[in-house]
Amino acid sequence: MVSAITAPGAEGRLWEVDMRLRPSGNKGPVAVRLSTFEAYHMTEAWGWERMALTRARPIAGPPAMRRRIAGLLRAALTRPGAAAAALTDAVAMRQRMLRDLPPDGPWDLKAMPGGLIEVEFIAQALQLRHAAENPKVLATSTRVALARLRDAGVLPAEEAEALIRADRLWRTVVGLVRLTHGKSRDPALPAPAAAALLRAAAPLLPVPAVDLPGLRAQMADMAGTVRAIFERRIGALGMGAGQ
């Protein structure tokens, strides 16, 4: 299964899967018993694993099994011990990523400072921090989670809305650049790709951009807003951390 979906084809890999990212590493079993899954996430999981767990959801299987899995996920995320280190773990992980996995070119809006990763980290860390006292903040969608954190009074409305706008713009731009041009270290894009990008981004910007420099200037402003919210609500990243 893993070989089939990761093997390079005429148009690239179908899906990127890193099987090292599991509790037992790349030498352990791909699938585990539910009891093993529960024990691990209730007692041993690392902070970044709990953050990733906020996105987890059962998508197939008998209804009874799916309900049981959903219950285990909820129990792991609302465990009081997960709240204590949620913010410090998120800051440490983001600092490490900025150091070891810098953005791969000017259109890597996922990894860049103030990019998609920081939007997701804000949503994930705040869910872990507050889920034990208010499970209603949990959601597997970043935008829904941000809205629920706003409704719970964890995030001011203007900050939640800014993060939701950033999430929409980052995903739109990343997806369109991947589809039309692929990875690129050149801030310029072919004319058809640039025109398509400007059309898609226009409804998501305060003022529609007329060219790529104008779009990139507004994206820089939005990234600065995301970084400021991250440091205000999660923790300071410090100088040198992709600043």
Side-chain angles (χ1 to χ4, degrees):
M1 175 68 175
V2 174
S3 297
I5 63 177
T6 60
E11 298 181 358
R13 290 179 173 85
L14 177 64
W15 199 264
E16 295 282 352
V17 176
D18 190 344
M19 296 307 294
R20 297 170 298 177
L21 299 178
R22 58 186 193 269
S24 50
N26 59 3
K27 300 298 183 183
V30 174
V32 298
R33 292 178 179 273
L34 280 178
S35 57
T36 303
F37 176 88
E38 179 180 20
Y40 180 81
H41 283 287
M42 292 299 290
T43 60
E44 300 180 47
W46 293 18
W48 67 267
E49 291 177 306
R50 292 195 172 96
M51 289 171 63
L53 208 63
T54 64
R55 303 288 296 275
R57 61 201 182 278
I59 60 173
M65 176 180 280
R66 293 170 64 179
R67 287 193 296 270
R68 184 179 175 194
I69 292 172
L72 294 180
L73 293 171
R74 188 180 184 89
L77 294 172
T78 56
R79 186 175 64 84
L87 304 189
T88 55
D89 282 352
V91 171
M93 178 56 63
R94 186 58 182 140
Q95 287 175 324
R96 181 176 177 182
M97 294 177 73
L98 288 165
R99 183 186 70 240
D100 299 339
L101 298 169
D104 187 19
W107 295 105
D108 187 357
L109 307 189
K110 182 176 181 180
M112 73 176 189
L116 184 58
I117 285 175
E118 291 184 20
V119 175
E120 293 178 338
F121 271 34
I122 293 168
Q124 293 166 8
L126 289 179
Q127 284 181 87
L128 289 180
R129 174 64 182 82
H130 296 278
E133 59 196 44
N134 187 358
K136 291 182 179 180
V137 301
L138 292 174
T140 57
S141 162
T142 298
R143 292 176 208 164
V144 174
L146 291 168
R148 291 183 179 181
L149 289 163
R150 175 201 61 205
D151 294 344
V154 175
L155 276 175
E158 62 274 15
E159 292 187 1
E161 295 308 316
L163 292 169
I164 290 171
R165 286 195 302 271
D167 182 83
R168 291 185 184 277
L169 182 60
W170 296 161
R171 293 182 190 278
T172 297
V173 174
V174 167
L176 197 54
V177 170
R178 285 179 178 175
L179 287 171
T180 60
H181 193 57
K183 291 184 178 180
S184 175
R185 291 187 172 274
D186 188 347
L189 296 174
L197 181 58
L198 292 172
R199 285 196 303 271
L204 308 175
L205 297 170
V207 179
V210 298
D211 54 23
L212 288 185
L215 172 61
R216 292 189 60 80
Q218 291 197 57
M219 290 195 304
D221 289 342
M222 191 170 289
T225 298
V226 172
R227 170 56 64 89
I229 296 172
F230 184 101
E231 296 206 321
R232 188 157 52 243
R233 303 300 168 191
I234 308 302
L237 291 168
M239 297 302 294
Q243 302 253 353

